Amino acid sequence: TQLLEQSPQFLSIQEGENLTVYCNSSSVFSSLQWYRQEPGEGPVLLVTVVTGGEVKKLKRLTFQFGDARKDSSLHITAAQPGDTGLYLCAGGSNFGNEKLTFGTGTRLTIIP
Amino acid sequence: SQTIHQWPATLVQPVGSPLSLECTVEGTSNPNLYWYRQAAGRGLQLLFYSVGIGQISSEVPQNLSASRPQDRQFILSSKKLLLSDSGFYLCAWSVGAVYEQYFGPGTRLTVT
């Protein structure tokens, strides 16, 4: 069974600070995705990384896929209240399996 | 563009009553379809997924069932609801090799 552990589980920081969220597994994934979910809504896809060591930037968000494709990180620079939400990582396997393995989630709160 | 609809948005049902949640996708053909349940502020639990009409894979043994009567329609059902069935139910679709998933707005189910 593939598992994805996210840390921290909860994070509350002041507006303008930087933060990093981690997504770790003992399993290898063919792709890794990050989603953000706001209360009462469905998760929204932020980014997909598919190559070990890949780094993608989305404005103030930087996503990295580990060299061994077992872990990923999300770094937010100069956090804003609009970044508040539940962040979920999800790993995909292309071995004839159409499912994603979702992480345990990180609840991020940015204090104005 | 693709859109996904879920209804109802909220539902309050007594224990022992039946359930039917519906999900439809527009703007794509032969999508993979998924039902998830999410406890408050937590990660996603995959309940069922489908790669085609009439093809349903169950991930968690329980009193829920799923059906896919049409290519872009996915239904979650129960004959008798339990208190533990309360939660936020999300439908999602995907196409392509990396299985990026796109979620509906969700249904908040409260079993009383």
Side-chain angles (χ1 to χ4, degrees):
Chain A
T1 301
Q2 297 177 313
L3 295 174
L4 276 169
E5 294 287 338
Q6 288 185 238
S7 61
Q9 185 177 355
F10 298 97
L11 183 58
S12 182
I13 64 171
Q14 294 287 333
E15 181 177 0
E17 294 184 350
N18 302 330
L19 67 106
T20 302
V21 175
Y22 299 94
C23 174
N24 295 293
S25 176
S26 58
S27 303
V28 175
F29 293 97
S30 61
S31 67
L32 199 293
Q33 296 154 28
W34 284 91
Y35 295 80
R36 179 171 64 213
Q37 183 181 22
E38 300 193 15
E41 299 181 7
V44 176
L45 178 66
L46 296 175
V47 76
T48 299
V49 285
V50 297
T51 305
E54 182 176 2
V55 176
K56 280 192 175 180
K57 292 190 176 182
L58 188 66
K59 297 183 180 178
R60 295 177 292 102
L61 279 59
T62 302
F63 305 85
Q64 184 164 9
F65 201 10
D67 290 341
R69 292 185 289 134
K70 293 182 178 181
D71 55 87
S72 181
S73 64
L74 158 60
H75 182 79
I76 300 179
T77 303
Q80 298 179 0
D83 296 327
T84 293
L86 178 68
Y87 287 80
L88 296 163
C89 64
S93 172
N94 61 359
F95 301 110
N97 190 328
E98 298 78 11
K99 302 180 293 183
L100 292 178
T101 298
F102 275 86
T104 48
T106 294
R107 171 71 63 187
L108 175 63
T109 302
I110 307 301
I111 304 168
Chain B
S1 63
Q2 300 88 358
T3 56
I4 179 169
H5 304 280
Q6 281 187 250
W7 63 90
T10 60
L11 191 59
V12 180
Q13 293 283 95
V15 169
S17 64
L19 173 74
S20 180
L21 303 181
E22 190 164 343
C23 171
T24 59
V25 180
E26 297 177 357
T28 187
S29 296
N30 196 30
N32 298 322
L33 296 173
Y34 308 84
W35 278 112
Y36 292 90
R37 180 169 57 205
Q38 185 177 34
R42 305 297 298 276
L44 304 179
Q45 179 188 32
L46 180 62
L47 302 176
F48 301 93
Y49 70 98
S50 171
V51 300
I53 295 174
Q55 301 179 62
I56 309 294
S57 296
S58 174
E59 290 297 299
V60 181
Q62 57 206 329
N63 68 319
L64 298 173
S65 62
S67 62
R68 184 171 177 173
Q70 301 180 42
D71 181 44
R72 289 168 286 180
Q73 184 184 29
F74 206 21
I75 298 172
L76 182 69
S77 304
S78 174
K79 293 182 179 179
K80 290 186 177 182
L81 284 168
L82 307 173
L83 285 174
S84 58
D85 292 324
S86 292
F88 191 48
Y89 287 81
L90 289 158
C91 181
W93 66 273
S94 76
V95 293
V98 293
Y99 306 119
E100 296 172 337
Q101 294 188 10
Y102 300 92
F103 288 83
T107 295
R108 174 73 60 193
L109 172 65
T110 304
V111 182
T112 61

